[in-house]
Structures are given as C-alpha cells and as structure tokens.
Amino acid sequence: MKQERIGIIMHGVTGRMGMNQHLIRSVLAIRDQGGVVLSDGTRLVPDPIIVGRNESKIEALAKAHGVTRFTTDLDAALANPDDTIFFDAASTQMRPALLRKAIDAGKHVYSEKPVSESLEEAIELAKHAKKAGVKNGIVHDKLDLPGLLKLRRLRDLGFFGKMLSVKGEFGYWVFTGDDLTPQRPSWNYRAEDGGGMISDMLCHWRYVLDNVIAPVKSVSCLGFTHIDSRLDEAGERFKATADDAAYATFLLDGPDGEIVAHINSSWCTRVRRDDLVTFQVDGTHGSAVAGLHKCVSQHRVNTPKPVWNPDQPQVMDFYEDWEEVPDNTVYDNGFKVQWEQFLRHVAEDAPWSYTLAEGAKGVQLAEAGYLSSKERRWVDLEDLGL
C-alpha cells in the first residue's frame, strides 16, 4: 500500500493537553497505526516536529515518544516547505500572532481553543486564513465523544419529540494549594494571563449546543470569582482575578421553537453525578442524560409518576427507569478522530466543518457572556457573516 508523509509543526505540546491528547493520543497514535487511509487507499503518515522554548524539555519529550525532530526555532520550522501543517496548543494570548505567522508562511493551521481573547481578532484571523487560501481548523473535541455522539443520534432520530430544555453541569473541585496540589495551572485563575471560566468554557458550549442540540441565539451569564486567592506552582499565594465559575442560560433556535439551555461551569464544586460533565435534554417524547462516554434515555412510556409528599421519605428509585443507549459501534479518541478528519481535509479536501470561523463563534459567545455578566442582561448573538 502506498504511503505518503505529511509534516506537522506542533507548538505548545509540552503542556498537559497538547502532550497527552494531541501529540501522544492523536498524531503519534495515527503514525503508529500506519497513518490515515485516504480515498484512493494511500496511507497518509504524520511526521511531527516539536517546537518549544525549553530545549531540554522538548528533547526529553521527543526521545520519550520516538519523535526524531524537535527545535526551539519556530521561524526555521515554518520556513521548511516539507512541513505543511502548523498546530498550536500554547496560551490563548500567544495564539493569534502564531497562527497569523503560520498562515503567512503558507501553512495550513489547526489549533486549540479559544482562537483568541477578542472577537474582533478572531474574525480577522478567520478572514486572513480564507484570503490566504489555507485549510484551517479549531479543535471541537467534545463532538466526537461517545456520550455526545449518542445524544446527537437520539436528536436526529426524533427521540425527544419537541425539545424543550437542556441542563448541563460541568466542573469539579480544583484544590487551592493550601491542602493538596492544584490539578490545573495557576494562570487559569489570573485574568491578566488569559484565565477565566467564561473564556475557557463558553467556547465549548457554543459548538456543543450548536451541533448537538440547536444554534445558540442569546445568552444570559453570571461569572463569579468564588475563591479570591490560591497558591501557584512555587507555593506562593496570588490574588485570583479571573472568574472560577460561570452560570449561563442560553436560548436556542430549535426546529419547533425556542429551547432553553442552562449550564453551570465551576472549578469550585464537588461532583455528585455520573461524570465530570453531564447534559440532560428534555423533550415531549423522551429525555436523555449524556456524559463523556455513556448516555441513558427515558422514553415517555417508561416515565414514572411521582407524587410530591414532603411528609414521607422518598421510596422511588429514579435511576431504574432509565435505559443505557448502546454503543452500536467502536468509538475512537475524540481528539484523534478530528485529527484524522483534518488530515484528510488537507490531503484530499475531504469535508470539514470546524474552521476558524466556527472558532470565532465560540469567542463571540464568551465575549457576550462577559458583557452579560458585567451588565446583568441578555445579550443576542449576531450573524458574524463569515
């Protein structure tokens, strides 16, 4: 079988997400399986080069995972015509300039989200990529998780009837450093360094709601800094200036009328639910609850008839009338699936929906969320015209 190499410049993959999900579990996993099979049978095999500022760190990472190429010279990497894709998983503040530089070097670009901190910059970047004629993409990883794939399948099959509402819960307790080591880097809690729950998560909720339920058209959001100081990686106390929780209500443009969605996102909550993120969709014919991997449903014929009686302990088991939606297929890593889609898009113009224009929509929702929180009002989302 014919093989074809594709060179990928990978920036910012010494961090947790970039290293685990993008380098190891996606690009290297695709390489180790023999590449991505194109429509003509050719196997497209990724050949990554790791780029970073800390030479010893990137060298150690490369050697640990059988990557032969690494460098601290981004300009030299971008100048190499044998590498056609640039990927970025570094900080949001650096991202727009890095992507613009890669686009100007003629590279196809793929990046983590958010694409930028401002909507104006996100729109300009999407237009810049389109004008340059390069393929471009933003990670929409949650769309290829088994739980959400099952939820979307229920929607497409008409299981819900008229969809009425969505309830989402996301987050967990991130330790402050006073007792146990925090699970997330300290910059997440400093607005001046690009931190903030609204900025971090509303871009995710935009593409999840748009693609799994219905398009978002309006938002009312309250951002809050519940814990005002934490300890950083050196054990030094710092003032938390970013929102560590967001309580957002969205109006969706459903096929049978408006759908109300509410999602709580918090680094200051303790988990008592099936997963770190869950979405419940209620409709006239049925309801479903999805986590990252599992999805359970309850049709109207299986819906119990509880009666409110505060004088007696509850005897009904509200879990027993739900049925698990079967897998029916083999689900691969969601990040890896989208990498394969993007590689096919670059190599043979295969279908691809998750462009920088879609990334701008996520930034739009985050910006609207901050405005809503500041002014305590609903904010409508305008068509970006991209």
Side-chain angles (χ1 to χ4, degrees), residues 1-216:
M1 185 176 291
K2 179 184 175 183
Q3 285 194 353
E4 182 179 326
R5 171 195 174 277
I6 185 165
I8 305 174
I9 303 163
M10 302 194 73
H11 180 263
V13 294
T14 54
R16 177 182 59 87
M17 180 68 74
M19 177 175 62
N20 292 324
Q21 294 295 354
H22 291 289
L23 178 65
I24 298 172
R25 298 171 192 165
S26 294
V27 171
L28 297 185
I30 294 168
R31 181 196 67 180
D32 294 344
Q33 75 184 16
V36 175
V37 180
L38 303 180
S39 58
D40 66 355
T42 299
R43 284 191 170 271
L44 187 68
V45 182
D47 177 20
I49 176 171
I50 301 173
V51 183
R53 291 175 294 179
N54 188 319
E55 185 173 7
S56 61
K57 184 180 288 189
I58 60 173
E59 181 179 8
L61 179 62
K63 289 182 176 179
H65 297 283
V67 177
T68 59
R69 302 189 301 146
F70 57 91
T71 184
T72 59
D73 192 340
L74 176 60
D75 290 337
L78 291 173
N80 185 357
D82 293 332
D83 293 322
T84 55
I85 294 176
F86 173 78
F87 170 75
D88 179 60
S91 72
T92 305
Q93 291 180 326
M94 296 170 59
R95 184 161 297 134
L98 288 169
L99 293 180
R100 191 174 293 108
K101 177 181 281 193
I103 291 167
D104 290 341
K107 307 301 182 186
H108 306 297
V109 295
Y110 187 45
S111 86
E112 261 295 349
K113 75 206 79 55
V115 67
S116 72
E117 291 187 301
S118 79
L119 177 57
E120 181 180 2
E121 195 167 37
I123 291 173
E124 190 278 330
L125 196 58
K127 290 180 177 179
H128 189 58
K130 184 176 181 180
K131 183 178 180 180
V134 299
K135 305 288 178 61
N136 58 91
I138 193 88
V139 177
H140 282 44
D141 55 283
K142 290 177 176 55
L143 295 182
D144 284 300
L145 290 169
L148 291 183
L149 288 171
K150 295 170 188 177
L151 196 62
R152 183 172 178 172
R153 188 171 78 213
L154 292 177
R155 181 204 68 177
D156 292 344
L157 292 173
F159 170 82
F160 297 107
K162 178 183 179 181
M163 288 188 290
L164 307 173
S165 64
V166 181
K167 295 186 288 287
E169 291 286 344
F170 168 78
Y172 46 89
W173 186 265
V174 176
F175 288 91
T176 62
D178 297 279
D179 40 11
L180 296 180
T181 303
Q183 311 96 297
R184 294 179 63 83
S186 60
W187 69 262
N188 282 270
Y189 306 96
R190 293 189 293 266
E192 60 272 22
D193 292 334
M197 180 62 85
I198 293 175
S199 174
D200 191 8
M201 295 311 302
L202 260 65
C203 59
H204 287 277
W205 305 151
R206 178 69 189 267
Y207 73 73
V208 167
L209 292 171
D210 277 359
N211 289 277
V212 178
I213 311 299
V216 181

Side-chain angles (χ1 to χ4, degrees), residues 352-386:
W352 175 257
S353 301
Y354 315 129
T355 62
L356 291 179
E358 290 299 303
K361 291 181 181 180
V363 178
Q364 179 190 33
L365 185 59
E367 200 167 274
Y370 278 119
L371 179 63
S372 172
S373 183
K374 179 182 178 181
E375 299 186 356
R376 296 295 194 272
R377 66 177 179 89
W378 280 92
V379 176
D380 295 332
L381 305 181
E382 298 179 356
D383 187 337
L384 297 180
L386 296 173

Side-chain angles (χ1 to χ4, degrees), residues 118 185 219 249 269 290 325 335:
S118 79
V219 61
T249 303
T269 185
V325 178
F335 289 86

Side-chain angles (χ1 to χ4, degrees), residues 307-322:
V307 177
W308 175 257
N309 186 350
D311 299 322
Q312 294 181 355
Q314 182 57 248
V315 296
M316 295 183 69
D317 183 349
F318 291 106
Y319 287 95
E320 66 179 4
D321 297 304
W322 294 78

